[in-house]
Amino acid sequence: MALLTILTYPHPILRKQCTPVTVFDVQLEKLAHDMLETMYDDEAVGLAANQIGFTQRLLVLDATEDASHPYILVNPEIIAQKGKEKSKEGCMSVPDIYVEVERAAEVTVRAQDIKGNVFTIENATGLLSNCLQHEIDHLNGKLFIDYLSPLKKQMIEKKLKKMACRT
Ligand code: NI
């Protein structure tokens, strides 16, 4: 297992539309486990593959408080959604920024597991729903700050530039 380097905004790979995974091999499995380790190490709830530079449709997440239910999702798709809900979000690729984002309250997601078997997560709510939508957005090159008004987004971009100068 190994910790992976997280790409941060405005890295162009974060804007990439990721391509479907077609090869389910030991390398993919190793990568997924390294992603989980990296996510837990950072106390995050989810991580998408392009955040670590791999531009295929793979993500990991664990929305439990005690890190007891890891998910590995390959080629995930939202197949149903219901309602609207606002909640505060952050992202490992956009450090120190936390903003309210409105998303679907409930989602059903179909994906493949690390071996390629299809499974669904039915009627996910709360943090799990939120995290599924945030991570699937990543695979489509979309970031949570894209939901903000242009003015608010500009303010955040300024703040991120200042932070980058300090390091
Ligand atoms: Ni993120």
Side-chain angles (χ1 to χ4, degrees):
M1 300 261 259
L3 291 180
L4 304 163
T5 305
I6 306 285
L7 304 179
T8 53
Y9 182 87
H11 198 291
I13 287 186
L14 296 171
R15 292 305 190 185
K16 275 247 153 81
Q17 175 78 27
C18 296
T19 56
V21 170
T22 53
V23 180
F24 295 81
D25 59 6
V26 283
Q27 262 104 339
L28 188 76
E29 200 163 336
K30 185 184 178 306
L31 183 66
H33 286 120
D34 286 346
M35 283 170 64
L36 274 173
E37 195 189 0
T38 304
M39 177 191 85
Y40 285 131
D41 184 68
D42 216 332
E43 288 172 12
V45 288
L47 180 62
N50 51 339
Q51 291 181 273
I52 49 98
F54 182 74
T55 54
Q56 292 187 19
R57 304 184 76 79
L58 163 69
L59 64 86
V60 298
L61 62 93
D62 187 338
T64 61
E65 264 173 36
D66 56 353
S68 60
H69 197 153
Y71 279 106
I72 296 171
L73 278 77
V74 181
N75 302 327
E77 249 186 293
I78 295 171
I79 55 169
Q81 60 181 67
K82 232 190 336 200
K84 289 266 171 241
E85 203 169 69
K86 268 189 186 168
S87 56
K88 217 164 213 185
E89 289 185 24
C91 178
M92 277 191 277
S93 293
V94 190
D96 300 324
I97 303 289
Y98 296 89
V99 289
E100 285 235 310
V101 176
E102 187 180 81
R103 295 189 185 272
E106 196 178 300
V107 290
T108 293
V109 169
R110 183 170 54 208
Q112 283 165 284
D113 67 15
I114 201 65
K115 305 280 186 209
N117 304 305
V118 175
F119 70 102
T120 55
I121 302 174
E122 305 270 352
N123 309 115
T125 56
L127 185 58
L128 180 59
S129 162
N130 203 264
C131 185
L132 283 163
Q133 294 175 73
H134 178 118
E135 302 312 327
I136 291 172
D137 270 356
H138 270 301
L139 299 179
N140 294 322
K142 187 162 183 172
L143 297 170
F144 72 122
I145 51 174
D146 298 343
Y147 290 91
L148 303 175
S149 68
L151 185 67
K152 193 122 196 249
K153 200 173 163 188
Q154 237 172 46
M155 282 164 55
I156 281 176
E157 274 166 355
K158 255 187 217 157
K159 192 175 166 188
L160 285 166
K161 257 183 214 149
K162 263 189 215 151
M163 290 194 310
C165 292
R166 276 208 310 264
T167 53

